[in-house]
Amino acid sequence: MDTLNFIYVVAALLIFVSIMTSTLSARLGVPLLLLFLAVGMLAGEEGVMGIQFADYNLANFMGQAALACILLDGGLRTSLQSFRVGLKPAVTLASWGVLATVMVLGVFATWLLDVDWRLGVLMAAIVGSTDAAAVFSLLRNGGVKLNDRVQATLEIESGANDPLAILLVTAMIALNLDPASQGIGDIALMLISQIGIGLISGLIAGWGLSRLLPKVYLAEGMYAILILSAGLAVFGATNMLGGSGFLAVYLAGVVIGNTKVRATEHVLRVMDSFAWLSQAGLFVVLGLLVKPSSILEVWHYSLLIFLFLLFVARPFAVASSLLPFRFGWRETGFISWVGLRGAVPITLAIIPVTMQVPGADLAFNITFGVVILSLLAQGTTIPMMSRLFRVWVPTDHEPKAEHEIWVGDQANITLYEFEVKAGAFAIGRHPQSISSKVNSNEISVFAVVRNERLLTVNDETILKMGDVVWYAIRGDHAANIAKIFNNTATQYQKNSEFYGDWLLSPHALIADLPFYNVATRTLNNSRLGRLPPVASALDVFTVAPTVTGLSGIDDELINRLTEAQNLTVEEYMLSQFNTEPVKGDEIRLNDSWSLIVRDVDSKGRIRGIGLKNLNRDK
């Protein structure tokens, strides 16, 4: 009994310490998953607690269960709208991208380690796929908002690339143990069954559960347990049928999450805790499993393989995968950089060890080193690289928080939280009369909190800096209300630096824009040796709060505008895009001027366009 209680105490303390380290993650700029690993390694055989743990079978069992939970949670939070812009490139990355990475990296690993090519390709297959736990965690909690195309592509890829990676690892294990047991036909059949059965079972299970939820009335916390248990059942059953359980549980989560019913809100709240517990437990166990001295013995191999993966194999795979979709070089570069490795490679590296594949210990230790380097080098630099590659977008039009309250099986009220920032337009205004552009029937004050106390709202109540207001809002007004509560000067500065000083209607004709007329007159006058009148420069756009000048008007700009003079601004931009537009997409008119998408609706239609003078930033 004492031994059992000791296990309880140690396991609980490890999880407790791991969660408490989350408060240090943001301050230190270190990915939280890496801190979980560090806690496990410090408690392990060569750490301060000296816990001896070498049960690879138990670690594999826990790893697969945790990954299934993480993928289920990721699917629940994946909007079908992201499939519109990211499905095709993500599927290509999850198939050809993984295969290309394994082929290129396999050749390098075989040469570097001077091992049999089967072991070299096995090692490449283990680290060939990106990790859903790392991608979901770092992209959604990394403090930066990526454009929808990049975010969707990375998230869907990480959730869909496991089947091929598992297939390649399984095939290479068989080739290492018995080279005559696997042929090309066997591998192709395994791939078809993994993807086909996983796809069908995931969609069927998701559809069935989405229909079941509205008909079951449970305590709020029970819905998540129901979905989690069903998800694990789908995961296990799909694996037994020869399909990809990871793909099935992810797709089931996507179908359920996009079915808006009373139960889904409860599921999302509790599943977030389950996912974090799974990540913490998984990385702590993996940290216990490894010996730091073993990693240090092969650290130079891990470093060289990681650098080759980061700068050669992953860029080649991404560039060749995204070529048919004509992604911009900035987006391709960022997606290449964020090929995060995490729990999946380590979990896959455990399988050869349990099956006693020759050289499996070497592969496991090198894989662990690659994962640590990936989390350190890639995970800590996501915000910086998103700005370097210009794939981020401003995030000042969002409420502080939101919660859904369901008043019927198909009826809900959404509560939004807003905080009055310094310099906000909301200061000095009554909370109910916050905006004349929103009908009073569509917005209602739910609560006002001042100095952490509930404030009684009457006719004389006015908002002060620091107040927190909760609104019940009908319709799509949350973004407009957020503008009123945010610092207007900071908000304008951030938007103008990114989108430019001018806001254009997507329905305006190129030929009707004053910019076109002024530019044409400027070019004609310059040819005649005359300067344009000052009034013309001031009439560029009536919505411009300041005039940044008309430098950069040249033949290239005039030719572009003349060819498109009968098109609307939206039609012109769509003619230049090779993919569906997303917020932040840019069309360069010349070296001095560009058009930038400011807003896109749920159907992919452009709703706002910015005109930016690039010389302003110089």
Side-chain angles (χ1 to χ4, degrees):
M1 182 63 71
D2 289 339
T3 301
L4 185 61
N5 288 328
F6 177 76
I7 294 175
Y8 289 152
V9 171
V10 171
L13 283 177
L14 288 176
I15 298 298
F16 180 83
V17 172
S18 300
I19 298 299
M20 289 301 295
T21 55
S22 64
T23 59
L24 299 175
S25 178
R27 298 179 185 178
L28 300 177
V30 177
L32 183 57
L33 304 181
L34 191 59
L35 295 179
F36 291 162
L37 272 179
V39 169
M41 294 171 70
L42 288 173
E45 184 176 346
E46 297 180 355
V48 293
M49 296 185 66
I51 298 175
Q52 295 186 3
F53 180 78
D55 194 334
Y56 286 90
N57 288 310
L58 178 60
N60 183 43
F61 168 78
M62 295 180 62
Q64 295 208 34
L67 288 173
C69 178
I70 293 166
L71 281 168
L72 176 62
D73 180 67
L76 289 170
R77 299 174 191 279
T78 300
S79 170
L80 284 178
Q81 184 178 349
S82 66
F83 277 59
R84 176 178 56 83
V85 295
L87 179 60
K88 293 180 180 179
V91 169
T92 306
L93 280 170
S95 52
W96 163 250
V98 173
L99 186 61
T101 301
V102 171
M103 290 190 301
V104 175
L105 185 60
V107 173
F108 178 76
T110 300
W111 169 81
L112 177 67
L113 302 175
D114 193 21
V115 295
D116 184 82
W117 70 270
R118 297 174 185 84
L119 180 60
V121 176
L122 171 61
M123 190 175 304
I126 290 172
V127 297
S129 65
T130 58
D131 181 66
V135 170
F136 289 150
S137 174
L138 294 177
L139 291 189
R140 296 182 180 182
N141 303 289
V144 62
K145 170 64 176 173
L146 303 176
N147 80 49
D148 291 340
R149 184 185 302 109
V150 172
Q151 180 110 4
T153 299
L154 285 169
E155 290 187 353
I156 298 173
E157 176 206 7
S158 68
N161 61 12
D162 292 323
L164 183 57
I166 294 171
L167 166 68
L168 292 174
V169 169
T170 303
M172 294 313 302
I173 289 175
L175 284 175
N176 275 271
L177 294 175
D178 184 7
S181 65
Q182 292 289 320
I184 296 178
D186 297 322
I187 295 176
L189 181 61
M190 187 185 302
L191 175 61
I192 294 173
S193 64
Q194 283 273 312
I195 296 178
I197 296 175
L199 182 68
I200 294 172
S201 60
L203 293 176
I204 291 176
W207 179 84
L209 289 169
S210 66
R211 294 298 182 273
L212 175 65
L213 284 175
K215 300 177 181 179
V216 177
Y217 293 90
L218 303 170
E220 289 187 5
M222 299 296 289
Y223 286 105
I225 298 176
L226 177 68
I227 294 300
L228 179 59
S229 60
L232 290 176
V234 171
F235 172 73
T238 305
N239 286 333
M240 292 175 63
L241 293 172
S244 170
F246 290 123
L247 179 61
V249 75
Y250 175 71
L251 290 176
V254 172
V255 176
I256 296 169
N258 284 274
T259 304
K260 299 292 290 182
V261 294
R262 176 196 293 267
T264 53
E265 176 64 16
H266 307 319
V267 170
L268 289 176
R269 292 178 186 176
V270 184
M271 277 299 302
D272 190 46
S273 298
F274 284 157
W276 275 110
L277 178 61
S278 297
Q279 292 185 68
L282 173 58
F283 277 84
V284 169
V285 168
L286 294 177
L288 286 171
L289 193 64
V290 72
K291 295 180 181 180
S293 60
S294 300
I295 298 178
L296 292 176
E297 290 177 0
V298 295
W299 73 270
H300 52 293
Y301 290 134
S302 297
L303 177 61
L304 291 173
I305 288 176
F306 168 70
L307 292 176
F308 186 86
L309 177 65
L310 181 63
F311 293 110
V312 180
R314 171 72 176 176
F316 168 75
V318 172
S320 58
S321 297
L322 299 182
L323 186 62
F325 307 102
R326 300 182 180 181
F327 273 51
W329 71 268
R330 298 179 188 275
E331 295 173 326
T332 301
F334 182 77
I335 293 174
S336 298
W337 182 265
V338 189
L340 291 163
R341 268 64 188 175
V344 169
I346 300 177
T347 304
L348 292 179
I350 293 174
I351 301 176
V353 177
T354 60
M355 300 187 70
Q356 299 181 343
V357 175
D361 290 332
L362 175 65
F364 178 81
N365 291 324
I366 290 178
T367 299
F368 213 104
V370 170
V371 168
I372 292 176
L373 290 170
S374 177
L375 292 175
L376 276 173
Q378 296 168 279
T380 59
T381 57
I382 287 177
M384 180 186 72
M385 299 304 288
S386 69
R387 284 168 171 77
L388 179 64
F389 285 105
R390 289 184 56 81
V391 295
W392 68 283
V393 292
T395 56
D396 54 347
H397 296 338
E398 298 178 358
K400 187 176 180 181
E402 62 180 271
H403 292 288
E404 288 183 341
I405 299 178
W406 287 82
V407 295
D409 291 339
Q410 302 292 330
N412 69 296
I413 299 172
T414 304
L415 299 179
Y416 296 91
E417 180 186 8
F418 303 92
E419 182 179 354
V420 181
K421 303 293 181 64
F425 183 73
I427 295 177
R429 301 180 68 86
H430 191 280
Q432 185 61 50
S433 305
I434 199 68
S435 174
S436 59
K437 296 181 180 180
V438 180
N439 192 306
S440 59
N441 295 328
E442 296 182 301
I443 182 171
S444 179
V445 178
F446 180 77
V448 177
V449 179
R450 179 174 294 168
N451 298 325
E452 300 184 358
R453 294 177 180 272
L454 193 63
L455 183 69
T456 300
V457 179
N458 53 44
D459 293 340
E460 298 179 357
T461 301
I462 60 172
L463 294 176
K464 299 180 180 179
M465 185 185 72
D467 286 352
V468 174
V469 185
W470 283 88
Y471 287 109
I473 301 177
R474 296 172 56 191
D476 190 17
H477 302 298
N480 291 328
I481 300 298
K483 297 177 186 179
I484 299 172
F485 279 83
N486 289 332
N487 185 304
T488 51
T490 303
Q491 177 179 324
Y492 171 74
Q493 180 69 18
K494 186 188 299 183
N495 281 335
S496 63
E497 287 178 356
F498 187 86
Y499 296 111
D501 287 318
W502 294 286
L503 172 63
L504 308 181
S505 166
H507 305 299
L509 290 175
I510 294 290
D512 290 339
L513 295 176
F515 180 80
Y516 173 78
N517 297 325
V518 171
T520 305
R521 290 198 302 271
T522 301
L523 182 64
N524 292 334
N525 289 334
S526 65
R527 290 169 177 169
L528 297 174
R530 297 198 300 266
L531 294 175
V534 175
S536 298
L538 294 176
D539 288 339
V540 177
F541 286 105
T542 57
V543 297
T546 59
V547 177
T548 57
L550 291 176
S551 60
I553 297 176
D554 56 15
D555 287 308
E556 179 184 0
L557 176 60
I558 297 305
N559 290 335
R560 281 178 175 267
L561 297 179
T562 301
E563 293 174 359
Q565 58 182 314
N566 295 322
L567 298 177
T568 65
V569 180
E570 179 183 22
E571 290 171 342
Y572 174 73
M573 295 191 74
L574 291 176
S575 70
Q576 302 297 309
F577 289 138
N578 297 311
T579 58
E580 288 201 44
V582 295
K583 191 175 180 179
D585 277 348
E586 181 180 11
I587 296 295
R588 289 287 183 99
L589 297 175
N590 64 358
D591 291 336
S592 301
W593 295 92
S594 65
L595 296 168
I596 303 176
V597 177
R598 292 182 63 118
D599 193 22
V600 177
D601 65 15
S602 59
K603 296 182 180 180
R605 294 173 297 194
I606 299 176
R607 286 292 176 257
I609 299 170
L611 176 67
K612 185 174 183 178
N613 185 346
L614 302 176
N615 294 327
R616 179 191 181 204
D617 299 330
K618 297 179 180 180

